[in-house]
Amino acid sequence: MNHSENLKQNLENLTEKTFYFCLGATSSIIENTQENLQKLSENAQKTVEELIKIGEDTCDNSPEISFPKVHFPEVDFPEINFPEFKTQDYVSQSLKSRLFVLVKGDKNLAQRLITLQKQKNPDHPEKWYWEKVIYDLQRH
């Protein structure tokens, strides 16, 4: 093998290894980003729920604070959609939060309403039951 062929072979090896390195680095970054975004979403939801609870406790313990009943408009929260999280049974945290707000944090009531819808309307995706319960509560 002459010097030119040897140089060409080394360049091809370097190019191939560089490509695989970049592919591996990109894959690792995407995986870490997905994990971090999921953790961030969970932490944000916990913080929101804690702040709502603090606000409710403040109103309950302060007779000078009273709020009229207000209907808040429907808000579509953005979702982070990763392929591994999108299954037929996936229910977004924002959808769960909307139901929990409507039942004033009573998770047992929310679960009973979901179970009732499952009995009345079998064979639907899990998300459908949550949306149906929310729709029915907002309609009344």
Side-chain angles (χ1 to χ4, degrees):
M1 190 182 303
N2 66 29
H3 181 69
S4 173
E5 290 173 351
N6 193 20
L7 185 60
K8 181 180 176 187
Q9 184 66 39
N10 288 340
L11 184 58
E12 287 174 359
N13 287 341
L14 179 62
T15 302
E16 183 179 2
K17 288 182 181 188
T18 301
F19 170 77
Y20 288 129
F21 172 81
C22 291
L23 187 61
T26 302
S27 178
S28 177
I29 289 168
I30 289 171
E31 185 177 316
N32 289 336
T33 301
Q34 287 177 333
E35 289 173 9
N36 289 335
L37 286 173
Q38 184 64 28
K39 288 176 187 173
L40 180 63
S41 175
E42 291 168 2
N43 288 338
Q45 185 59 42
K46 288 177 187 174
T47 301
V48 166
E49 290 172 1
E50 289 171 7
L51 292 173
I52 289 171
K53 180 69 175 137
I54 290 169
E56 289 173 345
D57 291 345
T58 300
C59 283
D60 291 344
N61 297 326
S62 301
E64 64 275 1
I65 299 176
S66 66
F67 293 101
K69 293 283 183 193
V70 177
H71 174 72
F72 294 98
E74 183 71 21
V75 177
D76 284 329
F77 295 98
E79 291 184 30
I80 299 170
N81 297 313
F82 296 119
E84 63 267 29
F85 298 133
K86 293 196 79 163
T87 65
Q88 190 173 13
D89 290 330
Y90 175 72
V91 178
S92 70
Q93 199 59 43
S94 64
L95 194 60
K96 291 178 182 179
S97 296
R98 284 193 281 181
L99 178 56
F100 294 146
V101 166
L102 289 170
V103 296
K104 297 184 171 72
D106 188 344
K107 291 184 180 184
N108 290 329
L109 174 58
Q111 190 56 56
R112 287 194 310 270
L113 293 170
I114 297 293
T115 301
L116 181 63
Q117 279 304 323
K118 286 179 179 181
Q119 291 169 352
K120 289 167 120 180
N121 302 291
D123 301 322
H124 287 280
E126 185 71 17
K127 183 178 176 184
W128 185 91
Y129 296 111
W130 288 75
E131 290 171 340
K132 175 74 168 123
V133 169
I134 290 169
Y135 172 80
D136 289 344
L137 289 172
Q138 288 176 333
R139 197 171 42 133
H140 288 80

